[in-house]
Amino acid sequence: MDLVNLLSWACIVFTLGMFSTGLSDMRKMQESKSTDNIQFLPFLTTCLNNLGWLYYGVLKSDQTIILVNVIGALLQILYIIMYLRYTKVKNLVGAQTLIAGIILLCGWLYFTVFLPKGETQLSQLGFTCSVVTVSMYLSPLSSLLEMVRSRDVQCLSFPLTVTTLLTSTSWVLYGLQVSDLYIVVPNTPGIITSLIRFYLFWKFGSSHSGSPSYKPMPI
């Protein structure tokens, strides 16, 4: 097995492991018959991100990206359906889902109808997906700053931090091997934020498994 294939399998295994963290939220919803203390938007935004990277993988004919994001999108859709079933604010959640669908449709029309097929289409889609992924990785920074002030990391998940670091690192190495900066750049912040979390665990002496405060969004 060559290095690219090895890194490909690492990306698949670690990424799907990270996406499957939502299964614990789904189990909580089933047991409690409610969505209390579970956020909806991470499921929705992760699904959109998966679909964007899936399209990128299709255009590039990259089977690793395609497989990861097909399974990732299906998992997120499952979480969304479960959330819609048990939430008490069905109108709000339904409206958010509708808006996400409209955004997805507009994006699909732009990239398939208005852009010429070829390198321009691929580069613009890669850039867009990269920006979205970077913003998702950086979004919890404000909560990390609050943890520094409060010296409390109870809400951080240590296993999720480990998985995020392994996933981001494997994608960065894979992107370097296939010479794709659109894979390398958006996953680099995942490594940085994971290292920050490890420092917080070490500094404030808590390494137990808390509930993740957000869902990571790799490609």
Side-chain angles (χ1 to χ4, degrees):
M1 181 181 292
D2 60 28
L3 183 57
V4 173
N5 285 334
L6 181 62
L7 290 172
S8 172
W9 278 108
C11 291
I12 292 170
V13 171
F14 292 140
T15 306
L16 295 183
M18 187 165 59
F19 285 145
S20 65
T21 57
L23 291 173
S24 60
D25 287 336
M26 190 171 70
R27 185 171 61 252
K28 291 177 185 176
M29 287 186 279
Q30 287 180 310
E31 291 174 351
S32 65
K33 307 300 182 183
S34 72
T35 58
D36 294 341
N37 300 317
I38 298 176
Q39 296 181 350
F40 175 69
L41 286 180
F43 296 138
L44 192 60
T45 53
T46 302
C47 185
L48 290 178
N49 199 43
N50 286 148
L51 292 173
W53 281 112
L54 173 59
Y55 190 26
Y56 180 80
V58 170
L59 292 180
K60 196 180 178 184
S61 299
D62 189 310
Q63 298 302 316
T64 302
I65 297 177
I66 292 173
L67 177 60
V68 164
N69 287 285
V70 164
I71 299 176
L74 290 175
L75 281 173
Q76 302 308 316
I77 291 171
L78 178 61
Y79 301 153
I80 289 170
I81 292 173
M82 191 64 63
Y83 198 99
L84 284 168
R85 178 180 179 183
Y86 292 116
T87 185
K88 297 176 182 177
V89 287
K90 295 186 185 298
N91 290 338
L92 175 61
V93 172
Q96 291 173 336
T97 304
L98 178 61
I99 292 172
I102 293 173
I103 293 173
L104 182 65
L105 177 61
C106 291
W108 180 80
L109 288 174
Y110 174 74
F111 286 109
T112 57
V113 176
F114 296 101
L115 284 183
K117 297 185 182 302
E119 188 60 32
T120 299
Q121 183 187 40
L122 186 65
S123 61
Q124 286 202 24
L125 179 59
F127 177 77
T128 301
C129 291
S130 296
V131 169
V132 173
T133 302
V134 168
S135 65
M136 289 177 172
Y137 267 129
L138 296 181
S139 61
L141 285 180
S142 59
S143 62
L144 292 180
L145 290 174
E146 180 59 34
M147 291 174 198
V148 172
R149 297 191 193 97
S150 64
R151 306 175 69 86
D152 182 5
V153 291
Q154 294 282 329
C155 63
L156 281 182
S157 169
F158 188 76
L160 182 57
T161 302
V162 174
T163 310
T164 302
L165 178 62
L166 293 174
T167 302
S168 301
T169 302
S170 60
W171 277 112
V172 168
L173 294 175
Y174 178 78
L176 290 172
Q177 285 296 311
V178 299
S179 302
D180 192 333
L181 289 179
Y182 294 125
I183 297 176
V184 174
V185 172
N187 286 284
T188 301
I191 298 176
I192 297 172
T193 55
S194 295
L195 293 176
I196 293 173
R197 287 180 174 80
F198 279 122
Y199 171 76
L200 292 178
F201 280 119
W202 171 79
K203 182 71 173 177
F204 303 122
S206 176
S207 61
H208 69 283
S209 299
S211 299
S213 57
Y214 78 113
K215 296 293 184 300
M217 317 292 179
I219 64 173

